[in-house]
Amino acid sequence: MSVLTRTQRPELSQDRAASPRPPINWGRVVAWTSLVVLLIVTLFPFYWMLRTSLSNNRSLASEAGSLLPADFTLGAFQRVLGMASTEEALAEGGSGANVNFWLYLRNSIIVATVVTVGQLFFCAMAAYAFARLRWPGRNKVFFLFLTALMVPPIFTTLPNFILIRDLGLLNTFAGIVLPTLFMTPFAVFFLRQFFLGLSREIEEAAMIDGAGHLRIFFRLTIPMASAPIATLAILTYINAWNDYMWPLLVGQEENVRVLTVALGVFRSQTPQGSPDWAGLMAATLIAALPIMILFAVLGRRVINSIGFSGIK
Amino acid sequence: MSSQVSAQSAIKTGARRSRRLGDLWVALAFLLPSAVGFVVFYLWPTIRGFYLSLTDYSLLGDAQFLGFDNFQRLFNDPLFWNSLRVTLLYVVINIGLQTVVALALAVLLHRLTQSVTIRGLVLLPYLVANVVVALVWFWMLDYQLGIVNQLIDWIGLGRIPFFGSETWAIPTIAMINVWRHMGYTALLIFAGLQMIPKYVYEASALDGASEWRTFWRVTLPLLRPIMALVLVLSVIGSFQIFDTIAVTTAGGPVDSTRVIYFYIFELAFERFDFGYAAAISVVLFLILGGVAMAQLKMLRAGDSDLS
Amino acid sequence: MRKALRRSTGMIAIPVLLAACGGDDGGSGGDGDSAAGGTITYWLWDANQLPAYEACADAFHEANPDVRVNIEQFGWDDYWNKITTGFVGGTAPDVFTDHLSRYPQFAGQNQLLAIDEFVERDGLDLSIYHEGLADLWISQEGERYGLPKDWDTVAVFYNEELLDDAGLTPEDMADLDWNPDDGGSYEEVIARLTVDANGVRGDEPGFDPDNVEVYGLGLNGAGEGFGQTEWSMYAFSNGWTHTDENPWGSQFNYDDPAFVEMVDWWRGLIEKGYMPSFEQATAGVSMMESYGAGTYAMVTEGSWNTGAYMGLSDVQTGLAPTPVGPSGERTSMFNGLADSIWAGTDNPEGAWAWVSFLASAECQNIVAEHAVVFPAIQESTELAQTAFEESGVDVSSFTVHVEEGTTYLAPITDNWAEVTAIMGSTMDSIMSFSSDTDALTGANAEVNALFE
């Protein structure tokens, strides 16, 4: 709260500086209007998802202009969650397909969590080696790592796919997480930049006390870098959660299928020629819900952590 | 700097060999996991991709070595040049629009409200997967049933075939991705704004400068390094536009959205022409290499600006 | 996953086996070959057909208790991507619905299992199918890659209410003629059905082609090089075919004057305001939705979509046969699907058992009763016709082509993916008036160069 009061002060003083009580500050009105318009643009698609998902797919075409659900029904959610028979689904313009929500939710959580934890930990270790240790060829190796930033993912996707196949890891969690588990060039780069910015004095003091690098890394560097690591963790988690192409290639089967892939499958299962928009939007909302809930829970921390606290 | 080195080597046992190698063994241990990931999932597939670009490879049979035939073909392939042109067009519109909107949003948020809730709302689109975002907008921008065209109709303007017209398709797709990323980009810029000391604004206000003037004379110049960073970070991602197009136009109408990434995908997975697809990927690799180099340069420039 | 499943079914099989030993031999696995156990994965793309094939799978499982069929459905666009990545990754389904335009390439890449030996061994009678359907699946090398499951033709679907408003009757629709010069009575009907924003019809003075409320004819796309429901019925009736011979032609005819004049007429409908512009047509979610919203008075569509159109809640749909063209006959593309076995299946016997069941009268009769498609077996087709009639749909507009022998086979050639890529953008740019129909000359040369 102290942050709030402190940061509000400049605005107050500025208002006072302009004039004691201006009748209408037109600049402010325009500014607020623009902000509200931008907010509406941001939020309206979410309302439209909800509105469509609560409509009867068969009636969407005739009530295209209505801002309320067309022929209100929960049918879309029911068929997405498999609570409607194939016949019922077809009658409302859907298909017999459904989303095995809890299973795919579990899978998405497993994949996103393992990738986030693994990637951050291993990248932090690498970043420490690049930022704090001195060894011959360090800059050359770092540069090599950085070149990976330029490799278009589609370039590596197919060879990686063949590799995962040859390792017999298709349709396993290992196959889905392995390529991003150990490193991404961005994470290494990001963390190295931050570690470089940390003060060396505490570390050197610890070293004089006889602490090894392992101890310094765990006891000093990681705690001091917890803020940017949290930022990176959230970004990594969102990206892992939303990843589509790779899990689509290697994780088709039910037991490892993640939510985005399930949504893609559901989309492709809707009747040819006339998509089940209501069902699709219901599935979309359901797929996006977990990350929104996570977001709502972490709320303030997430928003405040996004920024340049990590990068100089 | 030199005093640090001597201090550290003093802590060490002081053996000559150890001084030359530094922390090599510790570094190796720290690097091992990510090095494995790098070699297996980045380096090796890249080398393999380069090799495949010199072959005729249908994915199902064995690769036949061709030499530089694929690159010769690429040079004479109008679809390749078209894809390059379309991609650039997309990047320019996407990045341009996104930067302007995000900057405006960030400044508005910064000057008008401290509400974390509002900042949270702005971030919402970023939490939704690309594929989902594309689907929602495809539905909303439909020519006849989409709510946006209904609105345009109510206002009394002519409906717009957003995905069906060669002129509208790329701007439409660029706009969709602006929608997804503007909140996130705005928050990055917002963080940059918060780093500008408050007294700068107070001083400017005391001088009687208008908000508008303050923005152009004070805020923007101070924000420059941050903006540079935000720009280069988004450009590389922008070049790799794929999901949105795969879900909506699939390259059409008449190749107007057949961006380089989509063209590669199509050649590799639909036409089994993986060798040629790999050759185009090599070109994309070189382009992104150039962009990344520029990025590193600008970051360094940003560093010196801040200090 | 697949292996794990088989292991578990194996464990279930043991007690069954013991029970069979203990009692008298009323064992379940008596008939059929015991090698064909396990789970068969089967893919298809049409959601509307899913219930029918689920019923087939149940019947199959009853007859072969040790084989289980796991059906998965993916829409057309994703279907082929998933199949090809499945080939590469070794995760393709054991059995899948195959398309005439796709199988030559798959066969050429050794991804399909030739079934000649199975057919011979089981002594299958291939004469039960509609003439020619079974032989479509014999490759250039003389190997058979599928057993026919259904066939389809094209007809005109029209909005009965809008037809009535225009003062036309279903009888008017039943006997239309077409030519590339003035469009014949077919174009007259289209013009009559078109209404502009002021309520002026397309054939009345003062019609505003730039401000049309209801288009006489809908547009689904430019049809690539295939044109099945888009333009093939006009082209065939103008004496044109895709290739010099079919199957296995190697010279395409996209630069033939008979084709060029047809395309000129077809896209002329856009200029006249009788058909939506290509931009509008492809900017929308689908032709069916626009039709369902009453924006299109009639469309040309395939028989497989009959059920979907009849299910539209706000529109009553009638069917009419395609118009008679300059050749003196009404024509339709005749396309047939088949079930193919993936060469990489780990259970060829089980896969074959399922394929031959799908191609049997037992399964095709089940499909017929669902009234979604026309099965490949002649007697099952009749059943389907009755089933359609019972649900109030007169499908004679589709079957007339088979009865009168005015069907033209879908082109079967190599290099179809490349042909599609070339013709796709050429036809798109012609229909959007970005290029003229003379672009067909260059495109055709490019296509033919693929076969040199």
Side-chain angles (χ1 to χ4, degrees), chain B residues 4-21:
Chain B
Q4 272 174 16
V5 172
S6 60
Q8 280 201 344
S9 39
I11 299 160
K12 302 270 152 192
T13 46
R16 243 182 163 205
R17 190 169 148 268
S18 154
R19 203 182 305 142
R20 193 157 31 89
L21 292 178

Side-chain angles (χ1 to χ4, degrees), chain A residues 12 125 162-163 223 227 246:
Chain A
L12 289 173
M125 284 170 65
I162 295 170
L163 179 72
W246 179 252

Side-chain angles (χ1 to χ4, degrees), chain B residues 106-241:
Chain B
V107 172
L108 287 173
L109 285 174
H110 187 243
R111 302 304 286 154
L112 292 180
T113 171
Q114 294 297 322
S115 162
V116 178
T117 315
I118 291 185
R119 274 188 276 153
L121 292 179
V122 160
L123 194 60
L124 275 181
Y126 187 71
L127 302 180
V128 185
N130 274 334
V131 182
V132 172
V133 169
L135 274 175
V136 172
W137 280 100
F138 192 54
W139 169 232
M140 289 180 42
L141 295 177
D142 178 67
Y143 186 75
Q144 313 206 349
L145 308 180
I147 185 67
V148 175
N149 265 318
Q150 298 278 348
L151 285 173
I152 293 176
D153 213 27
W154 281 332
I155 297 170
L157 301 171
R159 290 170 180 251
I160 299 171
F162 287 104
F163 292 102
S165 122
E166 287 172 59
T167 22
W168 275 101
I170 277 286
T172 302
I173 287 162
M175 190 283 302
I176 292 174
N177 286 313
V178 168
W179 178 79
R180 180 168 183 250
H181 288 103
M182 67 180 181
Y184 175 65
T185 315
L187 288 194
L188 287 179
I189 301 174
F190 182 87
L193 287 171
Q194 281 187 319
M195 283 159 57
I196 299 175
K198 301 283 180 297
Y199 63 80
V200 177
Y201 290 108
E202 284 167 3
S204 176
L206 283 174
D207 288 348
S210 66
E211 292 248 357
W212 188 247
R213 207 180 146 82
T214 308
F215 171 75
W216 287 105
R217 290 294 170 85
V218 178
T219 316
L220 211 52
L222 284 173
L223 212 53
R224 198 193 66 85
I226 297 294
M227 292 301 292
L229 184 66
V230 169
L231 266 179
V232 283
L233 280 179
S234 22
V235 167
I236 288 198
S238 189
F239 263 99
Q240 294 169 19
I241 166 76

Side-chain angles (χ1 to χ4, degrees), chain A residues 57-59 61-62 86-87 90-91 94-97 158 161-162 165 170-171 244 248-249 252-255 257 261 264-265 267-275 277, chain C residues 1-2 43 45-48 50-51 54 72-76 78-79 82 85-91 285-289 292-293 304-305 308 311-314 370:
Chain A
N57 199 55
R58 293 254 186 247
S59 309
S62 48
T86 304
E87 282 72 20
L90 287 172
S95 73
L158 201 100
F161 175 69
I162 295 170
R165 177 192 73 184
L170 282 183
N171 294 312
Y244 178 64
L248 176 74
L249 285 174
Q252 281 283 350
E253 281 186 20
E254 282 268 310
N255 55 336
R257 193 180 285 170
V261 176
V265 170
R267 176 181 69 89
S268 72
Q269 285 170 330
T270 73
Q272 207 180 330
S274 142
W277 286 106
Chain C
M1 177 62 183
R2 199 173 289 147
W43 284 9
W45 64 75
D46 188 353
N48 293 319
L50 191 59
E54 273 168 352
E72 288 186 80
Q73 175 258 325
F74 305 99
W76 174 266
D78 296 77
Y79 186 81
K82 281 183 201 287
T85 42
F87 287 160
V88 178
T91 54
V285 277
S286 80
M287 180 168 81
M288 186 165 135
E289 269 156 341
W304 62 90
N305 270 337
L312 290 170
S313 54
D314 300 314
H370 280 78

